[in-house]
Amino acid sequence: MSADEIKKELASILRAVRIRIEIEKGFGIDTITVSRPNKLNVQRSSNLLAEKQSMKTPDIDGRKRQTEGTNKRSSKDATKPLSDQTSVTEKGEGVQMLETLRNEMLVCHKCSLGKARTNLVFGVGNPRATLMFVGEAPGRDEDLQGEPFVGRAGQLLTKIIEAIGLKRNDVYIANVLKCRPPGNRAPLPEEIVLCMPYLLKQIEIIQPKVLCALGTFAAQTLLSTKAPVGTLRGRFHDYKGIPIMVTFHPAYLLRNPNDKAKVWEDMKKVRDLLSELSGKDLKI
Ligand code: SF4
């Protein structure tokens, strides 16, 4: 290798390191552990992202958010079929199945949360996502906007997604419960039991390659366990043949920022598995 080529290679590595530091700072991590790499295969992910975006996958519930303010739901959100909320001309089978499921949920009153909600919070993102996040339940902002993870915790989740080289629209995001528990209290076991079939159906339709459970309720619901998230996180489990990473909920991270580094470790494993499964390098 000539001196010029070495200079170019070093410049490219430095550029990649600078980008990585910027991302990790954005993710809220101010210290970086350096380990000996197996290979110096540092590649910008912009081409991959452009490739992903060019797939033009429609956004089942995110193009137009429900913004019905404080109007009580039921008949109001039920009158807005998903097809009216989108400008998608080509609908895949998965999109139609999600739409049917959403329409079913719009009139759901299986538990008492259905009466109190402002909007149903169905889910948002790419209906053919390879990565699907599952959270707990809508909070105030989500209830008002009809979309999961739109408050401060949602902004942090978006940073987490971007930190692994993806965009929010690349993934699918849903909660265990589709209606807001009053006062943001924890979901009750009977509410989870009644609502869980909807989440399972969403997973069945989307068929993600990798799942990520955010927090205790999502992890315990999908893995049928009582084990705390602290002991489940950091490694892949199995959900009906789909690898599922368990990690802390972004709302927990807002209260416990020191644990962001643990989530970053978990998400790097998700990123690496996605790279492996897709044959593409998502590393920045
Ligand atoms: S939380 Fe789930 S089960 Fe309860 S009313 Fe809402 S959609 Fe139905």
Side-chain angles (χ1 to χ4, degrees), residues 43-107:
Q43 182 186 347
R44 296 285 302 270
S45 65
S46 55
N47 291 344
L48 290 171
L49 292 177
E51 214 175 288
K52 276 175 163 289
Q53 285 156 12
S54 73
M55 290 166 75
K56 293 203 183 302
T57 43
D59 180 345
I60 186 69
D61 206 11
R63 276 176 244 100
K64 288 190 178 177
R65 294 172 184 175
Q66 296 168 310
T67 51
E68 296 171 17
T70 54
N71 295 337
K72 292 299 173 193
R73 44 102 15 227
S74 191
S75 60
K76 292 192 176 175
D77 51 14
T79 58
K80 283 189 165 187
L82 190 63
S83 52
D84 290 347
Q85 298 182 29
T86 72
S87 57
V88 179
T89 52
E90 189 184 23
K91 288 185 179 180
E93 196 181 321
V95 177
Q96 287 174 8
M97 288 167 83
L98 284 172
E99 182 168 329
T100 304
L101 181 64
R102 184 174 180 276
N103 287 336
E104 188 185 320
M105 287 158 62
L106 280 167
V107 292

XYZ file of all heavy atoms in Angstrom, residues 43-107:
505
model
N -17.418 0.922 7.565
C -18.125 1.340 6.357
C -19.272 2.259 6.705
O -19.996 2.012 7.642
C -18.650 0.063 5.671
C -19.361 0.332 4.380
C -19.967 -0.954 3.853
O -19.653 -2.028 4.332
N -20.822 -0.832 2.876
N -19.399 3.330 5.967
C -20.533 4.210 6.208
C -21.815 3.459 5.891
O -21.875 2.656 4.968
C -20.454 5.446 5.297
C -19.273 6.330 5.552
C -19.462 7.153 6.812
N -20.654 7.984 6.744
C -20.648 9.210 6.257
N -19.550 9.753 5.804
N -21.753 9.916 6.237
N -22.861 3.754 6.647
C -24.101 3.019 6.411
C -25.051 3.768 5.486
O -26.139 3.301 5.206
C -24.817 2.782 7.740
O -25.215 4.017 8.273
N -24.618 4.924 5.010
C -25.559 5.719 4.224
C -26.070 4.981 2.992
O -27.246 5.083 2.645
C -24.911 7.032 3.820
O -23.712 6.759 3.158
N -25.193 4.213 2.343
C -25.647 3.482 1.158
C -26.713 2.466 1.510
O -27.690 2.292 0.805
C -24.477 2.762 0.478
C -23.529 3.752 -0.140
O -23.875 4.913 -0.311
N -22.331 3.308 -0.456
N -26.481 1.804 2.665
C -27.446 0.797 3.094
C -28.782 1.428 3.414
O -29.837 0.916 3.074
C -26.915 0.077 4.336
C -25.727 -0.837 4.101
C -25.168 -1.310 5.428
C -26.159 -2.021 3.257
N -28.694 2.583 4.090
C -29.942 3.247 4.449
C -30.674 3.703 3.204
O -31.891 3.566 3.089
C -29.654 4.446 5.355
C -29.142 4.064 6.741
C -28.805 5.310 7.541
C -30.176 3.252 7.476
N -29.927 4.242 2.234
C -30.545 4.691 0.992
C -31.213 3.511 0.306
O -32.325 3.601 -0.214
C -29.493 5.307 0.080
N -30.527 2.362 0.367
C -31.067 1.144 -0.233
C -32.376 0.750 0.438
O -33.368 0.450 -0.183
C -30.048 0.027 -0.012
C -29.984 -0.984 -1.123
C -28.872 -1.953 -0.832
O -27.698 -1.572 -0.952
O -29.200 -3.080 -0.487
N -32.362 0.832 1.796
C -33.563 0.482 2.545
C -34.711 1.412 2.207
O -35.828 0.991 1.981
C -33.290 0.595 4.056
C -32.654 -0.626 4.632
C -32.323 -0.394 6.063
C -32.061 -1.717 6.768
N -33.285 -2.486 6.943
N -34.366 2.739 2.148
C -35.420 3.707 1.881
C -35.991 3.512 0.485
O -37.172 3.741 0.246
C -34.869 5.128 2.011
C -34.668 5.506 3.475
C -33.649 6.592 3.640
O -33.249 7.225 2.663
N -33.226 6.811 4.856
N -35.139 3.072 -0.445
C -35.613 2.916 -1.815
C -36.625 1.789 -1.944
O -37.310 1.657 -2.938
C -34.435 2.666 -2.754
O -33.960 1.361 -2.542
N -36.717 0.956 -0.879
C -37.708 -0.121 -0.913
C -39.118 0.442 -0.789
O -40.092 -0.231 -1.081
C -37.450 -1.115 0.223
C -36.189 -1.918 0.006
S -35.685 -2.757 1.480
C -36.885 -4.074 1.496
N -39.218 1.693 -0.339
C -40.491 2.411 -0.254
C -41.592 1.579 0.410
O -42.638 1.312 -0.147
C -40.975 2.858 -1.636
C -40.100 3.905 -2.252
C -40.866 4.687 -3.266
C -40.029 5.721 -3.982
N -39.402 6.687 -3.142
N -41.294 1.153 1.603
C -42.307 0.403 2.324
C -43.250 1.373 3.013
O -42.822 2.328 3.635
C -41.639 -0.490 3.380
O -40.621 0.280 4.015
C -41.074 -1.707 2.753
N -44.550 1.143 2.909
C -45.499 2.089 3.477
C -45.538 2.024 4.992
O -45.195 1.027 5.595
C -46.831 1.642 2.883
C -46.635 0.213 2.565
C -45.188 0.033 2.228
N -45.973 3.081 5.599
C -46.055 3.235 7.031
C -47.509 3.054 7.441
O -48.353 3.875 7.162
C -45.554 4.646 7.346
C -45.592 4.941 8.820
O -46.242 4.192 9.553
O -44.971 5.935 9.209
N -47.782 1.930 8.080
C -49.163 1.541 8.316
C -49.942 2.548 9.143
O -51.112 2.757 8.943
C -49.223 0.156 8.993
C -50.653 -0.348 9.112
C -48.574 0.137 10.339
C -51.277 -0.702 7.829
N -49.273 3.175 10.084
C -50.051 4.016 10.985
C -49.353 5.333 11.271
O -49.797 6.093 12.094
C -50.298 3.277 12.307
C -51.557 3.772 12.991
O -52.326 4.506 12.357
O -51.739 3.441 14.151
N -48.245 5.593 10.596
C -47.482 6.761 10.968
C -47.597 7.901 9.998
O -47.116 8.991 10.251
N -48.228 7.690 8.832
C -48.257 8.786 7.857
C -49.114 9.914 8.352
O -48.782 11.059 8.294
C -48.772 8.257 6.528
C -47.666 7.631 5.736
C -48.209 7.029 4.490
N -48.019 5.612 4.540
C -48.965 4.761 4.870
N -50.169 5.151 5.125
N -48.703 3.498 4.933
N -50.284 9.558 8.836
C -51.130 10.579 9.440
C -51.484 10.106 10.820
O -52.153 9.105 10.986
C -52.398 10.787 8.615
C -52.132 11.492 7.305
C -53.430 11.878 6.669
C -53.186 12.638 5.380
N -54.434 12.970 4.716
N -51.040 10.829 11.813
C -51.349 10.403 13.157
C -52.766 10.796 13.517
O -53.290 11.775 13.028
C -50.395 11.081 14.130
C -48.986 10.630 13.929
C -48.103 11.471 14.757
N -46.715 11.109 14.504
C -45.695 11.742 15.021
N -45.878 12.758 15.794
N -44.476 11.370 14.744
N -53.336 10.016 14.410
C -54.636 10.404 14.925
C -54.403 11.612 15.811
O -53.609 11.559 16.732
C -55.222 9.279 15.772
C -55.502 8.034 14.962
C -55.798 6.896 15.896
O -55.048 6.647 16.830
N -56.876 6.209 15.654
N -55.058 12.715 15.549
C -54.871 13.902 16.373
C -56.243 14.429 16.769
O -56.632 15.531 16.432
C -54.112 14.993 15.619
O -54.752 15.181 14.361
C -52.663 14.594 15.394
N -56.939 13.599 17.493
C -58.291 13.980 17.844
C -58.372 14.715 19.166
O -59.439 14.898 19.728
C -59.158 12.725 17.898
C -59.242 12.086 16.543
C -59.908 10.744 16.626
O -60.566 10.480 17.623
O -59.755 9.963 15.698
N -57.189 15.167 19.640
C -57.171 15.935 20.868
C -57.822 15.174 21.981
O -57.608 13.989 22.153
N -58.624 15.851 22.750
C -59.208 15.202 23.916
C -60.570 14.594 23.616
O -61.262 14.154 24.513
C -59.345 16.215 25.068
O -60.060 17.323 24.562
C -57.989 16.649 25.569
N -60.977 14.608 22.348
C -62.249 13.970 22.021
C -62.219 12.520 22.428
O -61.263 11.822 22.191
C -62.501 14.011 20.499
C -62.675 15.423 20.043
O -63.027 16.283 20.820
N -62.392 15.655 18.774
N -63.273 12.067 23.012
C -63.285 10.663 23.392
C -63.403 9.831 22.144
O -64.055 10.174 21.188
C -64.438 10.390 24.360
C -64.225 11.051 25.697
C -62.957 10.524 26.357
C -62.623 11.292 27.609
N -61.286 11.022 28.098
N -62.758 8.679 22.173
C -62.533 7.885 20.984
C -63.768 7.152 20.477
O -64.770 7.750 20.160
C -61.390 6.890 21.207
C -61.368 6.160 22.477
C -61.842 4.733 22.469
N -61.938 4.147 21.149
C -63.007 3.475 20.790
N -64.013 3.350 21.600
N -63.072 2.918 19.621
N -63.641 5.914 20.394
C -64.645 4.980 19.934
C -65.200 5.400 18.588
O -64.549 5.255 17.587
C -65.741 4.851 20.984
O -66.544 3.780 20.648
N -66.379 6.004 18.553
C -67.006 6.262 17.279
C -66.156 7.191 16.429
O -66.163 7.108 15.221
C -68.380 6.868 17.498
O -68.242 8.074 18.198
N -65.355 8.090 17.076
C -64.586 9.046 16.294
C -63.418 8.387 15.596
O -63.223 8.527 14.404
C -64.117 10.192 17.176
C -65.317 11.007 17.603
C -64.943 12.305 18.240
C -66.222 13.061 18.526
N -65.996 14.275 19.240
N -62.581 7.649 16.372
C -61.454 7.051 15.680
C -61.907 5.869 14.824
O -61.264 5.546 13.836
C -60.295 6.682 16.616
C -60.687 5.872 17.802
O -61.806 5.340 17.826
O -59.872 5.771 18.700
N -63.056 5.295 15.173
C -63.551 4.203 14.342
C -63.996 4.697 12.977
O -64.073 3.932 12.026
C -64.716 3.504 15.038
N -64.294 5.991 12.862
C -64.758 6.508 11.581
C -63.597 6.855 10.650
O -63.803 7.352 9.572
C -65.603 7.775 11.764
O -64.797 8.742 12.440
C -66.862 7.494 12.562
N -62.380 6.636 11.095
C -61.227 6.956 10.263
C -60.529 5.691 9.811
O -59.580 5.246 10.443
C -60.223 7.798 11.056
C -60.621 9.229 11.190
C -59.471 9.989 11.778
C -59.653 11.469 11.621
N -58.458 12.180 12.051
N -61.005 5.059 8.757
C -60.320 3.854 8.307
C -58.901 4.179 7.894
O -58.622 5.280 7.427
C -61.145 3.388 7.107
C -61.918 4.571 6.678
C -62.108 5.427 7.885
N -58.023 3.213 8.096
C -56.619 3.450 7.805
C -56.407 3.858 6.361
O -55.552 4.680 6.040
C -55.823 2.188 8.117
C -54.320 2.345 8.091
C -53.879 3.333 9.159
C -53.665 1.015 8.293
N -57.201 3.287 5.470
C -57.030 3.588 4.053
C -57.203 5.071 3.788
O -56.627 5.626 2.869
C -58.022 2.786 3.220
O -59.311 2.983 3.725
N -58.001 5.760 4.633
C -58.187 7.202 4.458
C -57.009 7.984 4.987
O -56.872 9.160 4.711
C -59.446 7.656 5.190
C -60.695 7.139 4.504
O -60.571 6.666 3.354
O -61.751 7.185 5.125
N -56.208 7.345 5.801
C -55.109 8.061 6.426
C -53.834 7.945 5.608
O -52.808 8.482 5.977
C -54.835 7.493 7.810
C -56.006 7.645 8.744
C -55.626 7.096 10.097
O -54.470 7.116 10.475
N -56.591 6.607 10.819
N -53.853 7.221 4.550
C -52.619 6.981 3.832
C -52.754 7.385 2.380
O -53.841 7.533 1.854
C -52.258 5.484 3.858
O -53.169 4.817 3.004
C -52.324 4.917 5.240
N -51.613 7.577 1.758
C -51.624 7.853 0.342
C -50.994 6.681 -0.403
O -50.514 6.798 -1.500
C -50.853 9.139 0.052
O -49.543 8.989 0.547
N -50.981 5.544 0.232
C -50.353 4.379 -0.377
C -51.204 3.871 -1.525
O -52.389 3.670 -1.383
C -50.201 3.252 0.663
C -49.578 2.027 0.041
C -49.391 3.740 1.827
N -50.591 3.697 -2.671
C -51.344 3.208 -3.807
C -51.239 1.692 -3.910
O -52.138 1.030 -4.388
C -50.824 3.839 -5.105
O -49.422 3.643 -5.157
C -51.139 5.328 -5.143
N -50.141 1.182 -3.443
C -49.949 -0.264 -3.543
C -49.924 -0.862 -2.147
O -49.053 -0.601 -1.338
C -48.610 -0.531 -4.232
C -48.411 -1.974 -4.566
C -47.031 -2.212 -5.146
O -46.136 -1.413 -4.888
O -46.886 -3.221 -5.827
N -50.918 -1.650 -1.835
C -50.986 -2.235 -0.502
C -50.648 -3.707 -0.548
O -51.233 -4.458 -1.299
C -52.385 -2.053 0.076
C -52.694 -0.637 0.467
C -54.038 -0.607 1.135
C -54.355 0.803 1.560
N -55.647 0.876 2.203
N -49.708 -4.083 0.279
C -49.368 -5.493 0.364
C -50.377 -6.208 1.220
O -51.202 -5.591 1.890
N -50.266 -7.495 1.202
C -51.185 -8.298 1.999
C -51.060 -7.972 3.483
O -52.050 -7.864 4.199
C -50.853 -9.777 1.772
C -51.931 -10.721 2.213
C -51.505 -12.165 1.970
O -50.870 -12.416 0.926
O -51.803 -12.991 2.840
N -49.787 -7.777 3.917
C -49.544 -7.457 5.322
C -50.217 -6.163 5.725
O -50.785 -6.064 6.818
N -50.179 -5.175 4.843
C -50.795 -3.882 5.140
C -52.299 -4.063 5.330
O -52.891 -3.534 6.267
C -50.507 -2.874 4.006
C -51.200 -1.558 4.263
C -49.015 -2.667 3.850
N -52.888 -4.830 4.444
C -54.343 -5.038 4.526
C -54.714 -5.809 5.789
O -55.711 -5.515 6.441
C -54.834 -5.769 3.286
C -54.826 -4.859 2.073
C -55.175 -5.588 0.788
O -55.569 -6.747 0.816
N -55.010 -4.902 -0.324
N -53.877 -6.775 6.132
C -54.166 -7.554 7.343
C -54.043 -6.678 8.588
O -54.841 -6.785 9.522
C -53.224 -8.758 7.429
C -53.550 -9.831 6.419
S -52.239 -11.047 6.285
C -52.622 -12.107 7.659
N -53.056 -5.793 8.577
C -52.909 -4.880 9.714
C -54.095 -3.921 9.784
O -54.580 -3.585 10.863
C -51.595 -4.090 9.605
C -50.313 -4.857 9.952
C -49.082 -4.032 9.625
C -50.284 -5.260 11.429
N -54.533 -3.500 8.646
C -55.674 -2.581 8.600
C -56.931 -3.258 9.166
O -57.679 -2.673 9.946
C -55.918 -2.127 7.161
C -57.063 -1.142 7.052
C -57.127 -0.481 5.698
O -56.070 -0.308 5.076
O -58.222 -0.161 5.259
N -57.127 -4.502 8.768
C -58.277 -5.255 9.280
C -58.190 -5.402 10.796
O -59.166 -5.208 11.523
C -58.317 -6.658 8.618
O -58.346 -6.476 7.219
C -59.517 -7.456 9.069
N -56.987 -5.724 11.255
C -56.781 -5.894 12.695
C -57.033 -4.579 13.425
O -57.670 -4.542 14.489
C -55.344 -6.375 12.952
C -54.967 -6.625 14.406
C -55.794 -7.756 15.011
C -53.478 -6.944 14.535
N -56.540 -3.512 12.853
C -56.725 -2.196 13.485
C -58.211 -1.838 13.574
O -58.677 -1.335 14.597
C -55.969 -1.133 12.687
C -56.024 0.242 13.322
C -55.129 1.192 12.541
N -55.162 2.515 13.112
C -56.089 3.424 12.847
N -57.055 3.126 11.999
N -56.053 4.601 13.405
N -58.931 -2.113 12.517
C -60.372 -1.823 12.532
C -61.082 -2.610 13.619
O -62.007 -2.124 14.265
C -60.989 -2.125 11.161
C -60.585 -1.078 10.132
O -60.252 0.044 10.497
N -60.593 -1.439 8.866
N -60.628 -3.837 13.808
C -61.197 -4.677 14.868
C -60.907 -4.058 16.240
O -61.760 -4.001 17.117
C -60.545 -6.064 14.764
C -61.128 -7.118 15.636
C -60.315 -8.411 15.540
O -59.872 -8.779 14.428
O -60.105 -9.023 16.585
N -59.689 -3.558 16.393
C -59.294 -3.000 17.686
C -59.969 -1.657 17.976
O -60.136 -1.278 19.133
C -57.771 -2.846 17.731
C -57.080 -4.177 17.858
S -55.383 -4.155 17.300
C -54.659 -2.991 18.396
N -60.312 -0.937 16.913
C -60.951 0.369 17.108
C -62.276 0.262 17.864
O -62.720 1.213 18.490
C -61.196 1.039 15.744
C -59.979 1.724 15.119
C -60.235 2.070 13.672
C -59.582 2.973 15.902
N -62.907 -0.877 17.778
C -64.183 -1.050 18.489
C -64.033 -1.979 19.698
O -65.013 -2.455 20.251
C -65.292 -1.582 17.536
C -65.666 -0.530 16.517
C -64.864 -2.876 16.862
